[in-house]
């Protein structure tokens, strides 16, 4: 029986080690540096998302009213500055692009982004927003090193500018390999400002993937304090019950 348990433990450990190794072999992504406690960053990210992304992408699990409550905004703030789809204050965030038009323009409907960060991670989304480049061979004129042949044109090109690939030196006949991206035409923002903008959008999408996380972290502090206090009282009670036991 003992040998059986040892074998099961060894197998589980081997699978865990193999999974960890496989993850380590993936491409290294830059740190998004998101912080859900940074309300100003969440507000800036929401502003960018609703000005550049909501035309195609929905957040169907998030309501305008919830955004106002969590991000410290009033109903007037949200309806004037974030609602460009004609939704009501209590409605979920739904893009106004008809699905038929999306199929015609992009070949498929743009995905809902409610769970994008939960599915792929904040670092992936941040890297994706930094990795668009001009590609004359692409039908949409853009490509992406994180998600090659993405059907989405770059929505933030006006802010970042236009990047072009720098290829690694290779032998004749070999397929060119992109080594890095170079900014060809600057956008409205400096590279540092764009990095912050991409971080803000990623931060907002991380919040959108789990809005309750803000409340959970707030309540978590009080729960821990309660448990510490309860543990102290339980210890005193235990001492009182056992004080006459020798």
């Amino acid at each position: 029986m003992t040998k059986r348990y040892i074998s099961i433990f060894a197998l589980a450990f081997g699978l865990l080690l193999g999974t960890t190794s496989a993850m380590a072999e993936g491409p290294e992504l830059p740190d998004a540096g998101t912080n859900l406690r940074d309300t100003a960053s969440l507000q800036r990210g929401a502003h960018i998302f609703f000005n550049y992304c909501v035309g195609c992408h929905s957040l169907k699990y998030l309501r305008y009213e919830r955004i106002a409550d969590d991000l410290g905004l009033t109903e007037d703030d949200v309806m004037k500055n974030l609602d460009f789809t004609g939704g009501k204050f209590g409605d979920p965030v739904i893009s106004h692009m008809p699905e038929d038009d999306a199929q015609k323009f992009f070949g498929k409907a743009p995905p809902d982004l409610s769970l994008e960060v939960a599915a792929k991670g904040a670092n992936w989304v941040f890297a994706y927003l930094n990795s668009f480049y001009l590609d004359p061979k692409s039908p949409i004129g853009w490509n992406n090193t994180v998600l090659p042949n993405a059907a989405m044109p770059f929505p933030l090109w006006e802010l970042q500018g236009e990047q072009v690939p720098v290829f690694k030196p290779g032998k004749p006949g070999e397929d060119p390999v992109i080594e890095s991206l170079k900014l060809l035409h600057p956008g409205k923002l400096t590279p540092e400002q764009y990095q912050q903008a991409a971080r803000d959008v990623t931060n907002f999408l991380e919040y959108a993937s789990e809005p309750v996380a803000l409340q959970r972290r707030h309540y978590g502090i009080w729960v821990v304090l309660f448990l510490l206090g309860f543990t102290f009282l339980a210890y005193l009670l235990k001492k009182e019950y056992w004080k006459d036991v020798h």
Side-chain angles (χ1 to χ4, degrees):
M1 193 62 131
T2 304
K3 291 183 179 179
R4 181 182 176 186
Y5 286 138
I6 293 175
S7 299
I8 293 174
F9 175 78
L11 177 61
F13 181 76
L15 290 173
L16 177 62
L17 185 62
T19 302
T20 305
S21 300
M23 292 175 64
E25 291 174 359
E28 185 176 352
L29 298 174
D31 182 15
T34 54
N35 178 11
L36 294 180
R37 298 181 187 275
D38 189 346
T39 303
S41 172
L42 292 174
Q43 291 176 351
R44 294 192 301 266
H47 182 267
I48 295 172
F49 177 86
F50 281 99
N51 276 273
Y52 290 92
C53 307
V54 79
C56 298
H57 297 282
S58 299
L59 296 173
K60 63 183 180 182
Y61 300 122
L62 186 63
R63 297 180 184 274
Y64 291 102
E65 184 177 11
R66 182 62 186 265
I67 295 173
D69 291 341
D70 291 340
L71 272 58
L73 302 172
T74 66
E75 179 177 352
D76 193 54
D77 291 334
V78 170
M79 301 312 288
K80 282 186 177 180
N81 301 313
L82 301 183
D83 180 18
F84 304 124
T85 63
K88 297 180 180 179
F89 190 52
D91 288 348
V93 179
I94 302 297
S95 169
H96 58 68
M97 174 177 285
E99 188 169 337
D100 291 342
D101 288 348
Q103 291 282 352
K104 181 171 61 176
F105 297 151
F106 307 116
K108 61 179 180 179
D112 179 88
L113 298 184
S114 301
L115 302 176
E116 189 72 6
V117 170
K120 297 179 180 177
N123 292 347
W124 189 95
V125 173
F126 180 69
Y128 178 70
L129 293 175
N130 280 281
S131 299
F132 278 91
Y133 64 91
L134 293 173
D135 183 0
K137 297 180 181 179
S138 169
I140 58 175
W142 294 93
N143 211 326
N144 192 286
T145 58
V146 173
L147 185 62
N149 301 317
M152 184 179 86
F154 186 28
L156 304 182
W157 70 269
E158 189 178 38
L159 301 180
Q160 185 188 33
E162 298 173 335
Q163 296 186 123
V164 293
V166 177
F167 296 99
K168 292 181 179 179
K171 298 179 182 178
E174 291 183 343
D175 292 332
V177 177
I178 297 177
E179 183 176 40
S180 61
L181 298 176
K182 179 178 68 173
L183 189 62
L184 181 64
H185 299 123
K188 292 182 178 179
L189 304 180
T190 66
E192 293 76 17
Q193 290 172 333
Y194 179 76
Q195 289 290 303
Q196 184 60 55
R199 183 170 291 108
D200 292 338
V201 175
T202 305
N203 202 26
F204 174 72
L205 290 176
E206 182 173 354
Y207 151 75
S209 69
E210 192 183 4
V212 74
L214 293 176
Q215 292 182 346
R216 187 182 69 240
R217 295 183 183 187
H218 174 73
Y219 294 147
I221 297 174
W222 295 104
V223 171
V224 170
L225 291 175
F226 168 78
L227 291 176
L228 290 174
F230 180 80
T231 301
F232 178 69
L233 292 176
Y235 172 74
L236 294 179
L237 184 62
K238 177 258 183 188
K239 287 190 65 177
E240 181 67 22
Y241 280 162
W242 290 82
K243 65 181 180 181
D244 296 326
V245 177
H246 301 287

